[in-house]
Amino acid sequence: MAKERLSMRKVKEILRLKSLGLSSRNIALSVKIARSTVAEYLERAQRANLSWPIPEDLDDVALKGMLFSDEEIKPRLRIEPDYSYLHKELKRKGMTLQLLWQEYLDLHPDGYRYSQFCQLYRDWQGHIDPSMRMAHKAGEKCFIDYAGMTMPVVDIGTGEVRDAQIFVAALGASSYTYAEATWTQELHNFISSHVRAFSFFGGVPEILVPDNPKQGVTRPCYYDPDINPTYQDMAAHYGVAIIPARPRAPKDKAKVESAVQVVERWILAPLRNRTFFSLAELNQAIFELLVKLNERPFQKLDGSRRTLFEELDKPALRPLPQAPYEFAAWKKAKVNIDYHIEVKAVYYSVSYQLIGKKVDVRLTSTTVEIFNNNKRVASHLRSHKKGTYVTNPEHRPKSHREYLEWTPSRIINWAKETGEATAELVKKIIESKPHPEQGYRACLGIIRLSGKYGKVRLEAACKRALLAGALRLKSVESILKTGLDMTPVEEQMALPSIHHENVRGSNYYR
């Protein structure tokens, strides 16, 4: 049998060129086929007593009949590959189409050659859902997004209607989907939804692919997006990588956009006429329909999201950590001269050696951790009482003379440059604290007010604060803002007597 099945036009050209005396090599170069194929067709023509010119009444069908036997002309019936099976197997790690072709050929030796096998699979693949075409590896990726639709929830007490946001997560290989309602898309809810999604899946994928949300990605970029520190912290806890979908790259988001679409179509739309009075009630209804969605058979693939999940993704997911992630916010702070940082009006200590340094602060509901150059330098139980100092005694210097030049006497002397009342107020603030350095922050704040209001006004304000016993920075600021420092002390401190028939007077109590 010929190595290549040529068109009859090329066969005629071979015969024509042979009649011109060309060698098989030159004929092969001209027709762009193998020399062995040229030799084989010339041999077939010789056996059939064919030569150039070919009779005009000999059409292609008759010519083919003269060159080939009936058995050769009869097309071979090849077994079609199981395309759905190929598509599913390609999601397994390390699997290739060539390996699947070899397995197919072992079962069907007369089957399709590799190039045609691949083309047939691609043709089949082109007719399935675009989001299902990509062969995502099992356990590799989880795609994250929010639905465009929201769900109204009615406050049973006030009748107020509030729209709940719908979080959607879908695994790459199986399209197994998770959805839930939260009040907002803010960072706390965004992270908490991830934690519950991992629990729902019963494991952790290798990569998270969010659609560049502002909660998780602080600076969207095609090549190198900046990840929110809290999102990164959560990823480190679960041992996953975050690779946001690239802007203007639809293929990166096809999986989750399809998941959002089916959630809107099969969960949110059926719930549109129901009235919900709590987020818990809405989530219960979502979960019931979510089970049905994941068990719904595919239209053009075998099985369902659940069966594919059980077979592919679930065995490949990494195990959950022993404890779920506890939400932690991050912020930057600068260590003050009192070797404390301020977090929501509460002051936490670090080593005095870090005075003036910028540090990173990790906040959970129960703890405050402080990092310098990515190394934890302090940890405290979190306090929610404003104005509180949370101090580790080991952070204090052994002697005030041993760190920089900040001492109570130096701050008081600096205050004297403004006036005696200012120095006295600063002294009293320092003396009122359990530890002198806890008053430094307020004292420096008072002294620096002279830059805005001038030393004369500041001295007058401090005099009034001393008379009123108001040993606070805010008190001095209030006096200056309202202009009370420019009112004579006697006029300010003297209270007018009130005469009214409803005022009893001191004699009433005798």
Side-chain angles (χ1 to χ4, degrees):
M1 181 178 292
K3 295 177 182 178
E4 300 179 44
R5 183 62 59 86
L6 301 180
S7 67
M8 292 302 103
R9 180 183 61 78
K10 281 197 174 186
V11 171
K12 292 175 182 178
E13 182 66 6
I14 290 172
L15 296 176
R16 187 186 73 82
L17 294 175
K18 183 63 178 176
S19 71
L20 297 176
L22 271 67
S23 66
S24 294
R25 180 176 181 275
N26 288 332
I27 293 173
L29 290 173
S30 176
V31 182
K32 295 182 174 55
I33 59 175
R35 188 166 51 178
S36 60
T37 304
V38 172
E40 180 177 348
Y41 273 87
L42 287 174
E43 183 182 347
R44 286 176 179 271
Q46 186 178 5
R47 288 200 302 263
N49 293 319
L50 277 173
S51 61
W52 189 263
I54 292 176
E56 292 183 2
D57 60 346
L58 191 65
D59 60 18
D60 287 354
V61 175
L63 178 60
K64 186 182 293 186
M66 294 178 68
L67 294 174
F68 300 98
S69 65
D70 292 342
E71 191 64 30
E72 288 175 319
I73 294 174
K74 184 180 179 181
R76 290 184 300 170
L77 296 176
R78 294 190 174 102
I79 303 296
E80 289 284 316
D82 185 342
Y83 302 114
S84 179
Y85 169 79
L86 299 180
H87 191 69
K88 181 178 67 177
E89 289 300 299
L90 281 172
K91 297 175 183 291
R92 299 186 187 277
K93 290 185 179 180
M95 187 59 67
T96 65
L97 201 54
Q98 186 172 28
L99 177 59
L100 291 171
W101 170 72
Q102 290 173 345
E103 293 177 351
Y104 159 79
L105 212 59
D106 290 340
L107 294 173
H108 311 290
D110 293 333
Y112 293 103
R113 299 302 95 183
Y114 179 63
S115 59
Q116 195 170 6
F117 178 88
C118 293
Q119 187 59 50
L120 288 169
Y121 170 70
R122 293 190 187 99
D123 291 344
W124 173 87
Q125 192 182 31
H127 291 87
I128 63 174
D129 190 315
S131 69
M132 299 297 294
R133 291 175 191 169
M134 296 184 68
H136 297 291
K137 300 303 179 185
E140 182 182 43
K141 292 180 181 179
C142 179
F143 296 82
I144 309 294
D145 201 1
Y146 280 92
M149 292 175 61
T150 58
M151 289 297 293
V153 179
V154 180
D155 187 318
I156 197 168
T158 65
E160 178 187 1
V161 178
R162 187 176 178 184
D163 288 330
Q165 308 296 314
I166 308 300
F167 172 90
V168 179
L171 294 173
S174 62
S175 294
Y176 195 59
T177 301
Y178 174 75
E180 70 168 21
T182 59
W183 284 127
T184 71
Q185 296 184 19
E186 292 176 358
L187 184 61
H188 185 274
N189 285 321
F190 181 67
I191 297 295
S192 299
S193 292
H194 278 71
V195 173
R196 289 187 286 270
F198 294 151
S199 178
F200 176 80
F201 295 142
V204 184
E206 295 178 15
I207 299 171
L208 296 176
V209 186
D211 186 16
N212 275 293
K214 62 182 180 180
Q215 310 91 330
V217 181
T218 56
R219 185 179 64 87
C221 173
Y222 191 87
Y223 297 106
D224 188 21
D226 289 340
I227 306 300
N228 180 288
T230 300
Y231 199 22
Q232 194 73 60
D233 190 43
M234 183 213 70
H237 180 82
Y238 286 100
V240 301
I242 300 171
I243 304 179
R246 296 166 297 172
R248 303 176 300 281
K251 287 184 179 180
D252 289 4
K253 301 175 278 188
K255 178 68 66 172
V256 73
E257 287 180 351
S258 175
V260 166
Q261 187 180 62
V262 298
V263 165
E264 291 178 343
R265 182 178 299 166
W266 298 106
I267 295 180
L268 304 186
L271 297 177
R272 69 190 184 282
N273 294 323
R274 287 181 57 178
T275 302
F276 298 97
F277 296 99
S278 70
L279 203 61
E281 183 184 356
L282 171 59
N283 275 318
Q284 179 60 36
I286 289 174
F287 183 77
E288 291 172 0
L289 292 180
L290 186 63
V291 172
K292 294 181 180 179
L293 169 64
N294 282 319
E295 293 178 348
R296 184 180 180 84
F298 291 124
Q299 291 185 347
K300 297 182 180 179
L301 293 172
D302 294 335
S304 64
R305 288 172 173 81
R306 174 173 289 281
T307 59
L308 276 185
F309 169 74
E310 297 288 345
E311 184 177 353
L312 297 175
D313 275 321
K314 187 175 181 178
L317 292 175
R318 297 175 179 178
L320 292 167
Q322 290 185 347
Y325 175 75
E326 182 182 10
F327 178 80
W330 287 79
K331 64 167 290 184
K332 292 186 179 295
K334 185 175 181 180
V335 183
N336 200 270
I337 62 167
D338 60 1
Y339 56 87
H340 285 70
I341 62 165
E342 182 269 327
V343 178
K344 296 187 179 297
V346 180
Y347 305 95
Y348 300 91
S349 70
V350 297
S351 172
Y352 71 92
Q353 296 169 329
L354 293 174
I355 289 173
K357 302 286 186 181
K358 290 184 178 180
V359 294
D360 295 306
V361 186
R362 182 177 184 270
L363 304 167
T364 71
S365 60
T366 57
T367 61
V368 175
E369 295 177 284
I370 304 164
F371 296 81
N372 178 241
N373 294 326
N374 293 320
K375 180 181 178 182
R376 192 173 75 171
V377 294
S379 179
H380 300 278
L381 291 176
R382 187 169 181 179
S383 172
H384 296 277
K385 184 178 180 181
K386 292 185 177 181
T388 302
Y389 276 81
V390 181
T391 306
N392 183 339
E394 295 180 359
H395 292 158
R396 294 193 182 99
K398 295 178 181 178
S399 169
H400 290 290
R401 297 176 185 175
E402 292 181 3
Y403 77 101
L404 303 180
E405 66 273 21
W406 295 107
T407 63
S409 59
R410 182 176 186 272
I411 294 177
I412 294 170
N413 288 333
W414 189 9
K416 282 183 180 179
E417 296 178 9
T418 300
E420 291 297 327
T422 304
E424 182 64 20
L425 180 62
V426 164
K427 180 182 177 182
K428 286 184 177 295
I429 289 175
I430 291 175
E431 290 175 347
S432 69
K433 302 295 181 181
H435 303 282
E437 60 270 14
Q438 292 181 353
Y440 288 179
R441 191 186 298 260
C443 293
L444 291 177
I446 289 172
I447 295 170
R448 287 168 181 160
L449 288 173
S450 64
K452 183 176 181 179
Y453 296 100
K455 292 184 177 181
V456 174
R457 289 193 62 188
L458 177 58
E459 175 70 4
C462 289
K463 188 178 293 185
R464 276 170 172 69
L466 285 169
L467 289 172
L471 307 180
R472 299 180 63 205
L473 168 62
K474 288 186 176 180
S475 299
V476 179
E477 283 182 312
S478 177
I479 291 171
L480 290 167
K481 286 179 180 178
T482 56
L484 292 177
D485 58 291
M486 295 183 286
T487 304
V489 176
E490 294 77 7
E491 180 180 332
Q492 175 64 21
M493 301 305 294
L495 296 175
S497 58
I498 301 174
H499 299 283
H500 191 275
E501 59 182 0
N502 292 333
V503 177
R504 296 186 175 94
S506 58
N507 291 331
Y508 178 84
Y509 297 98
R510 292 178 180 174

